[in-house]
Amino acid sequence: MADSSSTPRILMVDPSLAFRPEDVIKESGWQFRNYVEDSDDPQLKQVKETYLKMHTYQTVDYVKKKHEHWRKFDKFEATILEALQKLNALVDESDPDVSVPNIVHAFQTAERIRAAHPDKDWLQLTGLIHDLGKVMAFYGEPQFSTVGDTFVVGCEVGKSVVYRDTTFHDNPDTKNPKFNTKYGIYEPNCGLDKVYLSWGHDEYMYHVLKHNNSTLPEEGLYMIRYHSFYPWHTGGDYMHLCDNRDLEMLPWIREFNKFDLYTKKEEVPDIEELKPYYQSLIDKYCPGTLKW
């Protein structure tokens, strides 16, 4: 794998970071931007533009094609730490005051979880790798299908989806009656595993781990797969598609999301010092070279 110094620098706007309403984030001192439909703020305009593209192009057909493309696992091979190293060249610009690479957010999240849950090493590792699917950005994947809140395609759009009323007008699925009922193409309480979410880094990383026979427990895999599914775990939408297992996992996802946001008050961890500890967790749950 190429050294990170030769990796092109990618400035990535993750619009999900602009719309995180949990009380824990408010209490942490995070000065997050308020939802504004029309704004002259360049950052908010960029956020809305990303969602506009997402909500225009993410259709049932688009998502199925992304599954076919990315689940060949033929893009590159790397260990977890090597893939994390690539995130040194990926900067989240959703806050103009923050210019740290995503790898820093990965270790910050893991260390916050480690402090709160010292007995759950699998949860700590989940925090470290939850955003690792963003490596798709280095292989041609556009931002609107790499980052941001996810939603279900193939049925009516959840009421809490960001910019729901102003960004779906050019999505061809909205013209197809079978995709616009409460259940759409799905059965009641079929389970989230049987629905198509808009494509993003969550779904990709989940499948990478499954393909490479990771032994992370089901709770960790759920957190990785659904941590950006804010219309569900925070907005309360799509409950009619959930089965009992989804509802059992929901508290775990909500617990994880307490730790999933960079805060400017937090110190940057000494990554080199922490690597041996996290390498031990990687060796336990997803060792060796993975196919991506």
Side-chain angles (χ1 to χ4, degrees):
M1 179 178 173
D3 181 82
S4 61
S5 61
S6 64
T7 303
R9 185 176 175 86
I10 293 181
L11 298 177
M12 175 167 289
V13 177
D14 189 339
S16 66
L17 299 183
F19 304 101
R20 298 272 173 113
E22 302 94 325
D23 290 338
V24 67
I25 294 173
K26 298 175 185 178
E27 293 167 2
S28 72
W30 171 256
Q31 300 300 312
F32 65 95
R33 294 177 292 273
N34 292 322
Y35 174 89
V36 177
E37 189 64 51
D38 295 299
S39 173
D40 293 329
D41 182 280
Q43 205 65 29
L44 285 177
K45 289 173 72 173
Q46 197 168 34
V47 165
K48 183 174 182 180
E49 180 64 23
T50 300
Y51 274 116
L52 177 61
K53 290 178 180 177
M54 180 193 302
H55 296 164
T56 298
Y57 299 114
Q58 292 256 14
T59 63
V60 171
D61 184 59
Y62 181 91
V63 171
K64 288 181 177 180
K65 288 179 178 177
K66 289 301 176 182
H67 276 268
E68 181 181 358
H69 175 72
W70 284 102
R71 290 174 64 182
K72 293 177 181 176
F73 307 107
D74 59 356
K75 307 304 179 286
F76 67 102
E77 295 186 7
T79 66
I80 291 291
L81 281 183
E82 286 172 341
L84 274 170
Q85 200 66 31
K86 288 188 76 70
L87 296 189
N88 266 328
L90 193 154
V91 176
D92 187 330
E93 275 193 322
S94 62
D95 185 332
D97 298 321
V98 176
S99 59
V100 297
N102 264 223
I103 191 173
V104 175
H105 170 63
F107 277 92
Q108 285 176 322
T109 303
E111 282 294 281
R112 282 203 302 277
I113 292 173
R114 185 180 177 186
H117 298 282
D119 59 329
K120 294 182 176 60
D121 61 357
W122 62 268
L123 183 53
Q124 299 161 28
L125 181 60
T126 298
L128 185 73
I129 67 176
H130 73 283
D131 275 345
L132 197 44
K134 291 180 181 180
V135 296
M136 290 190 296
F138 297 102
Y139 297 88
E141 194 62 31
Q143 291 188 28
F144 70 80
S145 56
T146 300
V147 299
D149 294 355
T150 55
F151 63 98
V152 179
V153 298
C155 66
E156 68 178 5
V157 179
K159 290 181 171 53
S160 67
V161 171
V162 173
Y163 292 124
R164 177 187 186 272
D165 297 328
T166 58
T167 54
F168 283 93
H169 50 278
D170 288 330
N171 186 308
D173 280 3
T174 63
K175 314 299 190 296
N176 188 332
K178 73 177 182 179
F179 294 149
N180 288 281
T181 63
K182 179 178 180 179
Y183 294 100
I185 60 176
Y186 309 112
E187 296 295 326
N189 304 114
C190 60
L192 295 180
D193 186 60
K194 293 182 175 61
V195 307
Y196 285 105
L197 295 183
S198 54
W199 184 256
H201 67 281
D202 304 38
E203 188 76 8
Y204 174 56
M205 191 61 199
Y206 166 78
H207 287 292
V208 167
L209 293 170
K210 293 288 286 186
H211 179 75
N212 289 279
N213 300 312
S214 170
T215 58
L216 270 180
E218 185 180 15
E219 291 85 351
L221 293 174
Y222 253 81
M223 292 170 186
I224 287 168
R225 193 176 194 182
Y226 299 116
H227 71 270
S228 296
F229 192 18
Y230 268 77
W232 173 53
H233 63 65
T234 297
D237 293 328
Y238 304 111
M239 291 295 180
H240 55 285
L241 299 176
C242 296
D243 60 16
N244 287 337
R245 194 59 176 155
D246 297 325
L247 300 180
E248 290 171 1
M249 291 290 119
L250 184 54
W252 281 105
I253 297 169
R254 287 174 172 165
E255 174 65 13
F256 174 79
N257 274 269
K258 294 178 183 178
F259 307 97
D260 178 24
L261 188 62
Y262 173 80
T263 54
K264 288 179 274 190
K265 292 182 178 181
E266 197 154 326
E267 294 181 4
V268 175
D270 186 334
I271 292 175
E272 291 304 314
E273 182 179 328
L274 292 172
K275 276 183 179 179
Y277 173 72
Y278 285 100
Q279 183 63 62
S280 71
L281 305 190
I282 293 167
D283 291 341
K284 181 176 179 180
Y285 292 107
C286 39
T289 300
L290 279 58
K291 293 185 177 182
W292 300 76

